[in-house]
């Protein structure tokens, strides 16, 4: 597997690659997640290293199946319609915010969303000691902050301080640029 490969709306994961993913199940603070096997082994080292420095990392999302991705999209559309949008408006808004199945790095088991200790996923994650630690250290374990504020135009995705992507050994080269430039 090429870990620095772009997975996006424009370049979705191939269905055959999705079916061949080797996933590992693991636990984090009482919740069960799955990740691609090498992404998992690196995550494990990263969590241990963080913990040894007194930093507890809370995961709220890792691998997502195609079905799960579809369910998130469906829920978002239903939610926007409940707020008064037409079906078309709700679909358009959802389409801007959530990637279709196979276009998300989570579908490849290579992405992790870290959340606040209360289990919530919010932009103020960027003000936590966890975020500070990740920005400084994640690349040592093959992970990069994927959707940076200054690269919104290039990635087509809003700033997501919680979303880290496993890219393997190229993380050191990639940490200060964006994958689209690589
Ligand atoms: Zn994510």
């Amino acid at each position: 597997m090429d870990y620095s490969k772009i997975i996006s709306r424009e370049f979705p994961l191939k269905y055959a690659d999705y079916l061949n993913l080797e996933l590992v199940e693991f636990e984090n603070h009482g919740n069960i997640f799955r990740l691609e096997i090498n992404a998992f082994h690196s995550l494990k080292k990263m969590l241990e290293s963080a913990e040894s420095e007194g930093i507890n990392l809370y995961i709220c999302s890792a691998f997502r199946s195609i079905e799960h991705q579809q369910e998130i999209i469906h829920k978002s559309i239903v939610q926007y319609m409940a707020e008064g949008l037409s079906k078309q408006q709700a679909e358009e808004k959802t389409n801007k915010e959530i990637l279709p199945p196979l276009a998300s790095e989570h579908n490849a088991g290579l992405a992790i969303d870290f959340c606040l200790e209360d289990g919530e996923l919010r932009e103020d994650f960027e003000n936590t000691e966890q975020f500070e630690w990740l920005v400084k250290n994640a690349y040592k374990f093959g992970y990069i902050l994927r959707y940076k504020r200054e690269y919104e135009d290039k990635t087509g995705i809003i700033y997501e301080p919680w979303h880290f992507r496993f890219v393997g050994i190229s993380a050191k080269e990639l940490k200060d640029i964006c994958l689209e430039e690589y």
Side-chain angles (χ1 to χ4, degrees), residues 114-132:
F114 292 99
C115 51
L116 294 147
E117 283 178 46
D118 60 12
E120 279 208 42
L121 193 140
R122 290 195 307 266
E123 202 175 294
D124 59 3
F125 178 69
E126 70 177 348
N127 301 319
T128 62
E129 57 177 12
Q130 284 92 341
F131 179 73
E132 195 188 336

Side-chain angles (χ1 to χ4, degrees), residues 64 106 111-113 160 162-163:
R64 282 185 216 138
H106 288 281
I112 302 169
D113 291 339
E160 292 190 354
W162 55 80
H163 181 106

Side-chain angles (χ1 to χ4, degrees), residues 133-180:
W133 189 91
L134 284 165
V135 166
K136 214 163 85 186
N137 299 290
Y139 79 92
K140 297 172 193 163
F141 304 92
Y143 281 87
I144 56 163
L145 175 62
R146 179 69 175 95
Y147 303 118
K148 291 182 185 160
R149 189 174 270 133
E150 62 268 38
Y151 293 126
E152 281 183 9
D153 288 351
K154 283 202 175 94
T155 64
I157 307 276
I158 54 150
Y159 173 51
E160 292 190 354
W162 55 80
H163 181 106
F164 283 76
R165 154 80 191 263
F166 182 69
V167 290
I169 49 165
S170 41
K172 196 172 178 357
E173 293 162 58
L174 282 166
K175 81 181 176 75
D176 298 318
I177 57 167
C178 92
L179 207 48
E180 278 73 8

Side-chain angles (χ1 to χ4, degrees), residues 26-33 47 51 55-60 114-117 119 130:
F26 65 99
E27 196 231 306
N28 177 261
H29 297 284
N31 297 306
I32 301 292
F33 301 96
L47 293 179
E51 210 187 322
I55 304 290
N56 251 315
L57 295 169
Y58 293 80
I59 293 171
C60 57
F114 292 99
C115 51
L116 294 147
E117 283 178 46
Q130 284 92 341

